[in-house]
Every structure is written in C-alpha cells, then in structure tokens.
Amino acid sequence: MAALEAATDTIAAISTPPGRGGIGIVRLSGPQSMAIGSQLVNLHQPLEHARARVADVLDAEDAEAAHGESTRIDEAVVTFFAAPNSYTAEDLVEIAAHGSPVVLEALLRRALVLGARLAEPGEFTQRAFLAGRLDLTQAEAVRDLIDAQTLTQARQAASQMGGALSSRVAPLKQSLVELIALLEAGIDFAEDDLDVTPKAEIARRIDKLTPPLAALEASFARGRIVHDGLTLAIVGRPNVGKSSLFNRLVERDRAIVTASPGTTRDLVTERISLGGIPIELVDTAGFREGAHEALEEVEQLGIRRSHEALADAAIVLVVLDATQPLNAEDRRLVAAVEGRAAIVILNKHDLVRSETDPACIGEPVIAGFTTLSTSALTGEGIAGLRERILTLATGGAAAEPGLLTNLRQHQAVATALGALADAAKANAGGIPHEMILLDLYRALWALDSLTGQTTPDDILNLIFSTFCIGK
C-alpha cells in the first residue's frame, strides 16, 4: 500500500467491473490528473470543475505508428473535480466511455505512459480518508456498499457512509474527553487549590457513559448478521419433506423431490434474502437408522456431510414427519441441537387426519423447542417459519442506525467498555486519579481507533487492501 502521508503522485485505474458494459470509467486522482486526462482524449471544450465535457477517445498508438494524426476510436464524457471538492480531496478526472475492455485498457495504459501510477486496491478511498473526507467507519461502509447483496445491506452501508455510526460515537467521546480534562486539571493545578473531582462525580460520569456504549456493543448482534449473513441447515430423516421445504423457502424447484427415501445424497445449497439478511440454505441428506455399513458408500458420504452441515450451521431446522410418531433418529437429532438456535418443524401437516390422530406428533412432546406445523406441499405455515427464522437470525434485535458491522468495530467498543469498567473499579477503590486516567485514556484510544484517529498504519493498510482496485 502506498505511503499514508499526503500523496504527491497521480494514480489511475479502471473503476468499473471487468468485462463488457454500456459504460466504463477510467479514474485519475492527483496533481497531474487534469493534465494527463486532457491528453487522453480530444476535448470539445476545456475542463471545468463539476462540468461534464464531451470528448473523443483517440488511438494514440495508431498515430505513433503512422506518424500522423490520431483517429477516433470512441467517444466519452469527461468530468473534472478540482481539489479539495472531490471524493479524494485532490484533482480528480473521470473518463466515461463505452464499456469496451479494449478501449478502457488503452486509456489506462496511455495514462501510465504519461506519468500516472496504477492505483492499488482501495487507494482512492484511502486518500479520501487521509484527507479527512471520510472517517474509518465511513470508508469501511464504501466497501460494504460495493459488496452489498441485498437492499438491506445497501441501506445499512449507506447509513454508515452518512456517518450514522460516527454520530453515535461522537457524543460519547466528547463526554469521555470532558471527564479526562476534569481529572487532568485537578492533577495539574492541585497546588492552585483547584477542587479535586470527588469519587461520586467520577462514578456518575462513568455510569452515564456505560449504557449507550453497551447498547452500541449489543448492536453487533444484528449488524454482523446483516453484514455477513448466516448458514441454515435443514436436517431430518429421509422422506420427511426436507427438500420440499427447502424449495418452498427458495421459492423454486432447486432440490430434486421424489417419493423415494434417500433422494438427496449430497448437500444442496442456495442463497436467499430473508428480511434483507443473506441466508445460505443447506438441504442435507437424510439421517437413516440402522447399520452404517449397510448403506451405499455415496449415502454414507452424504450423511457424513450432513453431520458437518449440522455442526457448522448458525440455525438448524429439524424436520419431522407430523404423520408419524417420533423414533430414535428423530430424538437423536433433537438432542443434537439442544441449546442451539433451532426450530423443530412438524411437516406434512396437511396429511394429519385430526389433532387427535394417534400418529400425529403435533402435541408439545419436544420440550425446550419452538415447534411449527408446516406443509411444504400446500405452503401452510411457511410464512410463520420465515418470521421465526428471521427472529432467530437477529436475536430479536430491532433495526437501528449506526450498527457495528464488523469484528474490528466490535472489539474497539468492547475494549472501551472494559477500560471504563476498570476505571470505575479503580475509582471505587480510592486509586489515585493518575491511575484512573490510564484506564480512561485506554477507553478514548479504543473509540478513536473505531473512527480512525489513532489507528496504526498496518491496520489501515489491511482494511484498504480488501477494497477493489479503482475505488
């Protein structure tokens, strides 16, 4: 990654995805971007800040070979943004041509010949961060918006880009700074008879900071799920309707369904969006009773993978046949998910003759689990199942602005909370203010690292290296 101090070079990159498209953009940023950009095209009018200009893309290589004038190979719209009123706070030029990879690569190669340097991953956004245009949570949100797979993810990223998380952190940092200043003043001016801050006042101020920080830490439960999604495994004995239920949740015939037990021999996966949360559904091979050695090798492998999917999934749907009594395999599966996020499904409810049918297992015999009656054939209970999955996925946490969305952010807030707890304990024990300040500064540095003020260079490099080139 380029040096973190103010950049003096000009960078260039193709800022649209690889492949053909209606439009493709080559972006330049740095002190020479206007001069280089003007040589890449034949402008119909001079560049002016925030004004789009029509231009011809010239075949410079053909002109050099023929020692004549360049021929036009495309047309483009060129926009210039003068520093500091650009994304990077530097002079910035964007050349929007037709999305032919050949033309875009020719423009980029020519820009490099004229003195630009190929941008590294995330370098445009890194320059925006270093220039103070974005804080670190907003910079991370740029990457999240690019990577968004659902509208909910895009909304959350856009909220973070707008400073929602920074707005939650800023007043907490201000209150913490005020407390630090109060204690520092009491130490520095003790000989001037400045009143020493009483223990009760220090405790009151720390107690006031803790609940909003704890609420912010708790937001990670939902923010992480919206950001990363989760895996949901559908397990059960053969022929209980797992694949039919899988198809209902996917809303298309993704898994093969037959009346013969054991149709599904391997894991079948599909990614869906439920309430805006990405969920990877896994349909598993049926768990059979009897001697393992008696099963075909392919079915043994399928069952082994089913056990792995059961162990790895964040949420498990245990599917039972509502027309049959529980057997030993059913009970083993239910026991295997005890204490986990799991839902027991009583499927084929449309075939139950009556609630008093002795074969029906719909009575509450499965203590400690939410049981839902469904019919994958008719769709009965599927809407309720989706709601229950969403509740388990989010832990019941409501959507709110300014969520923590990644582990780095969560660790920063957790560190701040731990430091405040240590400061409160030291204060209660009558520890000198100099020692309490060490804990308070630790909390402040943790919150600073959340938004980027005190984040080490190696962490910054790691964060921005995960961006795509051209952003």
Side-chain angles (χ1 to χ4, degrees):
M1 182 63 67
L4 297 182
E5 54 269 10
T8 58
D9 55 355
T10 297
I11 57 175
I14 298 172
S15 292
T16 40
R20 294 172 175 82
I23 295 292
I25 295 175
V26 173
R27 175 184 286 175
L28 301 98
S29 181
Q32 298 301 313
S33 58
M34 185 178 184
I36 294 173
S38 297
Q39 296 179 67
L40 297 179
V41 295
N42 181 27
L43 289 160
H44 294 191
Q45 293 177 283
L47 291 178
E48 186 179 345
H49 172 68
R51 299 279 186 177
R53 299 302 191 205
V54 177
D56 299 322
V57 179
L58 305 178
D59 187 353
E61 294 181 8
D62 180 64
E64 291 172 1
H67 302 288
E69 293 186 1
S70 301
T71 56
R72 190 183 85 159
I73 59 173
D74 198 358
E75 56 186 357
V77 175
V78 183
T79 310
F80 168 65
F81 299 94
N85 300 308
S86 72
Y87 179 69
T88 59
E90 304 172 327
D91 283 354
L92 188 144
V93 171
E94 291 185 346
I95 302 173
H98 291 108
S100 165
V102 173
V103 173
L104 297 178
E105 289 169 8
L107 283 168
L108 180 59
R109 285 197 304 270
R110 183 64 178 161
L112 300 181
V113 169
L114 292 171
R117 172 176 62 78
L118 184 63
E120 298 184 35
E123 192 169 355
F124 287 92
T125 302
Q126 187 187 47
R127 290 188 176 201
F129 166 73
L130 294 173
R133 301 284 289 177
L134 306 168
D135 68 25
L136 198 52
T137 62
Q138 292 172 307
E140 289 174 316
V142 172
R143 177 192 58 202
D144 292 344
L145 184 58
I146 293 171
D147 293 340
Q149 299 177 14
T150 71
L151 187 57
T152 297
Q153 288 179 318
R155 287 171 180 152
Q156 178 169 280
S159 175
Q160 303 290 61
M161 285 177 61
L165 180 53
S166 307
S167 297
R168 289 186 71 171
V169 174
L172 302 176
K173 285 176 60 176
Q174 180 61 34
S175 297
L176 186 53
V177 168
E178 290 172 359
L179 175 56
I180 289 172
L182 189 63
L183 296 187
E184 289 280 18
I187 294 171
D188 292 343
F189 301 102
E191 58 189 31
D192 295 332
D193 295 328
L194 190 70
D195 290 339
V196 175
T197 308
K199 289 170 56 176
E201 177 62 14
I202 297 173
R204 185 189 70 80
R205 291 186 179 232
I206 293 176
D207 289 345
K208 188 177 179 181
L209 279 167
T210 301
L213 264 181
L216 183 58
E217 184 190 31
S219 74
F220 183 57
R222 183 182 180 91
R224 175 180 58 84
I225 292 299
V226 173
H227 183 273
D228 297 333
L230 52 81
T231 301
L232 182 151
I234 304 176
V235 302
R237 288 188 290 114
N239 210 31
V240 295
K242 299 186 302 300
S243 295
S244 297
L245 201 62
F246 176 88
N247 288 340
R248 273 286 179 181
L249 292 172
V250 173
E251 297 183 328
R252 67 186 180 93
D253 291 338
R254 173 66 176 83
I256 297 174
V257 177
T258 73
S260 302
T263 300
T264 303
R265 297 296 187 92
D266 199 357
L267 303 182
V268 180
T269 64
E270 188 73 22
R271 201 168 183 85
I272 66 169
S273 172
L274 194 59
I277 295 176
I279 296 180
E280 182 173 330
L281 293 180
V282 182
D283 183 22
T284 65
F287 290 84
R288 284 184 184 267
E289 290 182 289
H292 187 68
E293 296 76 10
L295 303 177
E296 297 177 21
E297 182 179 4
V298 65
E299 190 167 359
Q300 292 180 25
L301 291 172
I303 292 174
R304 189 179 308 154
R305 292 186 179 183
S306 296
H307 280 289
E308 293 171 356
L310 172 61
D312 294 340
I315 298 177
V316 180
L317 302 188
V318 179
V319 185
L320 308 176
D321 189 334
T323 66
Q324 298 179 13
L326 289 174
N327 66 13
E329 191 63 50
D330 292 327
R331 296 184 188 279
R332 275 195 292 269
L333 280 173
V334 171
V337 297
E338 188 173 353
R340 297 178 58 185
I343 305 171
V344 176
I345 306 297
L346 310 179
N347 196 34
K348 301 185 181 181
H349 194 260
D350 57 302
L351 299 180
V352 176
R353 291 188 294 272
S354 72
E355 295 302 323
T356 58
D357 188 336
C360 176
I361 60 170
E363 68 271 13
V365 296
I366 309 171
F369 288 95
T370 297
T371 58
L372 294 176
S373 295
T374 64
S375 169
L377 179 64
T378 66
E380 175 191 352
I382 300 300
L385 174 58
R386 287 194 175 99
E387 291 178 6
R388 181 58 186 161
I389 292 172
L390 191 58
T391 299
L392 276 180
T394 61
E400 56 180 319
L403 302 176
L404 302 180
T405 58
N406 61 51
L407 187 59
R408 187 194 71 82
Q409 295 171 357
H410 179 255
Q411 287 176 335
V413 175
T415 298
L417 275 170
L420 286 177
D422 291 342
K425 184 177 179 181
N427 179 59
I431 301 297
H433 288 182
E434 290 87 346
M435 304 305 294
I436 296 174
L437 277 168
L438 293 177
D439 292 323
L440 295 179
Y441 272 117
R442 184 156 53 92
L444 179 61
W445 293 331
L447 294 183
D448 275 346
S449 72
L450 180 63
T451 50
Q453 282 85 340
T454 58
T455 305
D457 289 356
D458 57 344
I459 296 179
L460 290 180
N461 287 335
L462 180 61
I463 290 171
F464 287 106
S465 67
T466 62
F467 282 62
C468 57
I469 293 176
K471 191 57 182 175

